[in-house]
Amino acid sequence: MRSFANLAAMKAEIGNEVAVSDWVEITQARIDLFADATGDHQWIHTDAERAARESPYGATVAHGFLTLALLPALLVNALHMVDMKMGLNYGLNKVRFPAPVPVGSRVRARLTIAAIDDIADGAQILWGVVIEREGGGKPVCVAEFVMRRY
């Protein structure tokens, strides 16, 4: 885990990869819970038998938005901002899902500080995020994640 004592220490790292999270396993139970929470029960995510027969991946795959929804937990797992009182997910500028996440995969995030802008009582941080799958050739998610810290 990477620790930053203050905002100045983070600003010194703009443009650099600063942290890599631990691996997180994508189980069928996690996929099913996400399907229940979002109402997205498309067979490629939830029907293991059909996915084994008909999917080009040979198994169910995680929702792209499930992969994206892991981002706050992956960030917290990878770094600690000591002087931060509160952080807010402010949005996303760009998100792509270049590769699937088959059930049973493990994913992790690589985090780069792309920019930091001062705002009233805090800062807005633009993170470059690459979520990779263990053993995968391409990232499974690439995003520009905007966070506000106070």
Side-chain angles (χ1 to χ4, degrees):
M1 172 171 297
R2 178 78 185 266
S3 185
F4 289 99
N6 53 46
L7 190 57
M10 293 183 74
K11 286 181 176 181
E13 294 292 337
I14 292 173
N16 295 326
E17 182 179 286
V18 296
V20 178
S21 74
D22 289 338
W23 293 104
V24 172
E25 185 175 0
I26 305 301
T27 64
Q28 189 62 51
R30 185 184 295 256
I31 293 170
D32 291 343
L33 285 169
F34 189 82
D36 288 342
T38 62
D40 181 355
H41 291 92
Q42 187 177 172
W43 66 267
I44 63 171
H45 305 304
T46 60
D47 188 335
E49 289 180 18
R50 185 173 178 189
R53 261 190 341 266
E54 298 179 33
S55 168
Y57 312 115
T60 57
V61 294
H63 308 71
F65 287 130
L66 166 56
T67 306
L68 185 62
L70 292 172
L71 183 52
L74 293 169
L75 190 134
V76 167
N77 170 272
L79 58 91
H80 177 65
M81 294 172 265
V82 175
D83 67 336
M84 184 175 82
K85 294 181 179 95
M86 177 178 70
L88 298 174
N89 300 331
Y90 194 67
L92 299 151
N93 291 337
K94 183 177 178 182
V95 178
R96 297 292 182 265
F97 304 107
V101 180
V103 67
S105 296
R106 293 189 336 150
V107 298
R108 70 178 177 187
R110 305 183 82 80
L111 304 163
T112 299
I113 300 174
I116 299 176
D117 295 310
D118 294 324
I119 59 171
D121 299 320
Q124 181 167 292
I125 304 169
L126 178 63
W127 294 98
V129 180
V130 175
I131 301 178
E132 58 189 4
R133 179 174 64 89
E134 189 174 39
K138 291 201 284 189
V140 297
C141 180
V142 179
E144 291 180 356
F145 173 52
V146 185
M147 175 188 155
R148 289 202 166 175
R149 59 159 276 165
Y150 299 94

